[in-house]
């Protein structure tokens, strides 16, 4: 299958605090000439350019010297357009990293070489390296790239990079990750970030930017049967054709494609109908595939509201029980038995945690028995739903295969759940 490198690549950087994520993004923007002169002038400190300030936009971030929220920037090279996000490195903001990664085509996991004990052999990696790489893998981010940073501050950078790269590859193999590349970089000095630095650290491959230019975007899930979460119901104007439904159901096609003649089943009512008109995002009649917005007109009046799903007649049945991998984001632990709101598409239902199956040890990658999950833990749970949901396996369909759990009292986002 041909690799799609024509579409913009949406990627994020991830790593521990002070690994140099913001500086790396600043270097990418400056060296690819995506920063205006007045912007550069605004981040001068003591005669030097503070690259991190190009993305640490919040006042609290500047005061604390850390990234809190994901800052998206846009830039382009002659070869490609990019949408880049600077995800927080602090453990308490893992939820922000998960949110950003859920829609990313690639993740660059930054590894600070100065924090690792490489002198005695292959070093132990930091927990955040494990955590972020595993989260990217669980979220089905298509490409993971490791960038080993700050090698310019190492006495023997070639030996250090060789041992760190070996540790990363061993970890990736054990976790079943498909790491696209392990690239040595110096974000501060600009080595091997935009322009390649042949031979530096014993590395002869492409620069980080050249590597990113070759990565594919996430493929639209057009091979699955049609599914469509209804986001908005528009009443058709008076005097419209009364031989069909008088409403237009708007949303984004989650899987498959839709064209006039498509037989659909409404979830949860179970009513059936046929699509007689399909409008794209600018109201042109045409077939619309997964990943694109559409407005659907049915051949009859049926009960459809925001939050309902329109499914192909042969789509899998909705379920009342499910299990999946969970990234727990709340500040309070997750106990078995508690009830949360589950958001699937635009549909809200009550969900009870039947059982915490296990917690994943991010160091050994092995499941551990657990009665609850602490903040930022990754594990596996079973849910009982008050009403059925048209979920699918996250491994087959990223959108219909994911849920968000929300605390019913505080209304805080509590977890991201990926359905088995």
């Amino acid at each position: 299958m041909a690799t799609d490198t024509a579409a913009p690549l949406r990627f994020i950087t991830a790593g521990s605090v002070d690994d140099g994520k913001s500086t790396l993004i600043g270097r990418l923007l400056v060296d690819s000439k995506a920063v205006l002169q007045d912007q550069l002038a605004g981040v001068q400190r003591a005669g030097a350019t503070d690259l991190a300030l190009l993305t640490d936009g919040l006042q609290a971030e500047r005061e604390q010297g850390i990234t809190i929220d994901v800052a998206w920037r846009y830039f382009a090279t002659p070869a490609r357009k990019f949408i880049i996000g600077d995800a927080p490195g602090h453990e308490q903001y893992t939820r922000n990293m998960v949110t950003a990664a859920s829609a990313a085509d690639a993740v660059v996991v930054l590894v600070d070489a100065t924090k690792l004990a490489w002198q005695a052999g292959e070093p132990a990696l930091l927990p955040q390296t494990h955590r972020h790489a595993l989260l990217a893998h669980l979220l089905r981010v298509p490409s993971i790239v490791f960038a080993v940073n700050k090698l310019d501050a190492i006495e023997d950078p070639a030996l250090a990079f060789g041992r760190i790269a070996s540790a990363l590859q061993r970890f990736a193999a054990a976790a079943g990750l498909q790491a696209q590349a392990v690239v040595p970089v110096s974000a501060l000095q600009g080595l091997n970030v935009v322009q390649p630095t042949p031979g530096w650290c014993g590395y002869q491959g492409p620069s980080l930017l050249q590597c990113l230019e070759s990565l594919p975007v996430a493929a639209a899930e057009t091979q699955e049967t049609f599914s469509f979460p209804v986001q908005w119901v528009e009443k058709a104007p008076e005097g419209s054709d009364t031989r069909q439904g008088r409403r237009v159901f708007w949303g984004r096609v989650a899987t498959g494609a839709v064209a006039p003649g498509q037989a659909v089943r409404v979830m949860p009512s179970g009513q059936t109908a046929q699509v007689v008109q399909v409008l794209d995002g600018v109201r042109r009649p045409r077939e619309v595939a997964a990943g694109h917005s559409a407005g659907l007109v049915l051949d009859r009046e049926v009960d459809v509201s925001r939050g309902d799903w329109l499914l192909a007649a042969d789509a899998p049945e909705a379920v009342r029980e499910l299990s999946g991998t969970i990234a727990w984001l709340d500040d309070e632990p997750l106990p078995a038995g508690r009830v949360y709101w589950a958001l699937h598409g635009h549909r809200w239902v009550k969900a009870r945690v039947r059982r915490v199956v296990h917690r994943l040890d991010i160091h050994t990658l092995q499941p551990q028995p657990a009665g609850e999950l602490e903040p930022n833990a990754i594990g596996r749970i079973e849910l009982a739903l008050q009403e059925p949901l048209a979920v699918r396996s996250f491994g087959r369909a990223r959108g219909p295969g994911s849920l968000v759990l929300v605390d019913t009292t505080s209304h805080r986002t509590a977890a991201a759940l990926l359905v088995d």
Side-chain angles (χ1 to χ4, degrees):
M1 180 179 296
T3 297
D4 180 7
T5 57
L9 184 82
R10 179 186 288 262
F11 73 97
I12 67 166
T13 57
S16 301
V17 174
D18 292 333
D19 279 355
K21 300 183 300 300
S22 299
T23 301
L24 177 68
I25 294 176
R27 175 61 63 188
L28 281 167
L29 296 173
V30 170
D31 286 5
S32 62
K33 307 193 186 311
V35 180
L36 300 177
Q37 287 300 318
D38 60 338
Q39 291 176 297
L40 270 178
V43 296
Q44 297 294 317
R45 297 292 183 271
T49 302
D50 190 336
L51 297 169
L53 293 182
L54 288 169
T55 54
D56 284 346
L58 299 177
Q59 182 179 359
E61 293 175 335
R62 295 176 183 241
E63 291 173 351
Q64 299 179 51
I66 62 173
T67 300
I68 296 173
D69 203 357
V70 180
W72 294 101
R73 294 294 299 264
Y74 302 82
F75 75 104
T77 68
R80 192 167 203 184
K81 295 179 180 177
F82 295 94
I83 304 171
I84 181 173
D86 182 14
H90 199 288
E91 187 172 324
Q92 77 182 87
Y93 299 117
T94 300
R95 72 197 71 180
N96 302 42
M97 180 267 170
V98 169
T99 302
S102 65
D105 302 305
V107 170
V108 177
V109 179
L110 220 62
V111 179
D112 184 345
T114 64
K115 294 179 181 177
L116 302 179
W118 54 269
Q119 294 83 352
E122 201 174 280
L125 301 173
L126 296 180
Q128 283 292 71
T129 302
H130 286 175
R131 184 190 301 275
H132 288 153
L134 283 171
L135 283 171
H137 180 56
L138 290 171
L139 292 166
R140 280 187 67 208
V141 178
S143 300
I144 299 174
V145 175
F146 291 107
V148 184
N149 192 27
K150 302 187 183 180
L151 285 161
D152 57 303
I154 297 289
E155 186 175 351
D156 190 343
L159 180 61
F161 175 67
R163 290 176 173 174
I164 294 170
S166 178
L168 290 168
Q169 288 161 349
R170 185 186 298 275
F171 160 68
L177 305 177
Q178 296 293 324
Q180 296 292 328
V182 182
V183 183
V185 299
S186 168
L188 190 61
Q189 302 296 328
L191 300 174
N192 220 29
V193 177
V194 171
Q195 299 298 328
T197 311
W200 183 59
C201 300
Y203 176 81
Q204 299 291 347
S207 69
L208 178 63
L209 182 62
Q210 290 174 325
C211 180
L212 293 170
E213 287 176 336
S214 68
L215 296 180
V217 298
E221 290 155 340
T222 56
Q223 302 304 314
E224 293 289 310
T225 56
F226 168 68
S227 65
F228 181 83
V230 177
Q231 184 177 10
W232 176 47
V233 179
E234 176 191 1
K235 184 179 178 182
E238 294 294 336
S240 58
D241 189 347
T242 57
R243 293 172 298 177
Q244 59 192 41
R246 295 192 182 190
R247 292 175 295 167
V248 184
F249 305 109
W250 289 95
R252 177 173 295 180
V253 179
T255 56
V258 59
Q262 170 75 54
V264 297
R265 184 177 80 246
V266 181
M267 214 292 294
S269 72
Q271 294 174 286
T272 58
Q274 189 175 71
V275 176
V276 294
Q277 189 174 14
V278 178
L279 305 174
D280 67 7
V282 292
R283 292 181 176 271
R284 293 174 300 187
R286 60 191 302 174
E287 179 176 343
V288 177
H292 297 276
S293 297
L296 308 184
V297 179
L298 304 183
D299 67 339
R300 68 198 71 174
E301 291 290 352
V302 292
D303 181 13
V304 180
S305 305
R306 171 182 164 86
D308 291 353
W309 285 68
L310 301 182
L311 307 171
D314 59 347
E317 293 294 329
V319 300
R320 297 283 295 266
E321 297 181 350
L322 58 87
S323 61
T325 300
I326 189 169
W328 187 245
L329 310 177
D330 202 352
D331 295 331
E332 301 294 328
L334 165 66
R338 187 167 176 185
V339 173
Y340 293 88
W341 282 110
L343 175 62
H344 181 241
H346 308 289
R347 181 170 172 77
W348 294 88
V349 303
K350 290 283 186 68
R352 182 172 61 85
V353 179
R354 289 183 54 190
R355 186 165 74 101
V356 176
V357 180
H358 64 239
R359 175 197 303 109
L360 187 66
D361 186 319
I362 63 168
H363 303 290
T364 65
L365 309 179
Q366 297 299 313
Q368 295 180 329
E372 64 179 27
L373 293 179
E374 68 277 12
N376 284 314
I378 302 169
R380 189 166 179 272
I381 66 167
E382 294 175 350
L383 277 185
L385 306 171
Q386 191 175 57
E387 299 177 43
L389 290 178
V391 298
R392 300 188 190 178
S393 166
F394 187 79
R396 295 178 59 88
R398 216 170 170 182
S402 57
L403 304 173
V404 173
L405 298 187
V406 175
D407 190 292
T408 56
T409 303
S410 68
H411 305 295
R412 290 197 301 261
T413 299
L417 179 69
L418 316 178
V419 180
D420 288 345

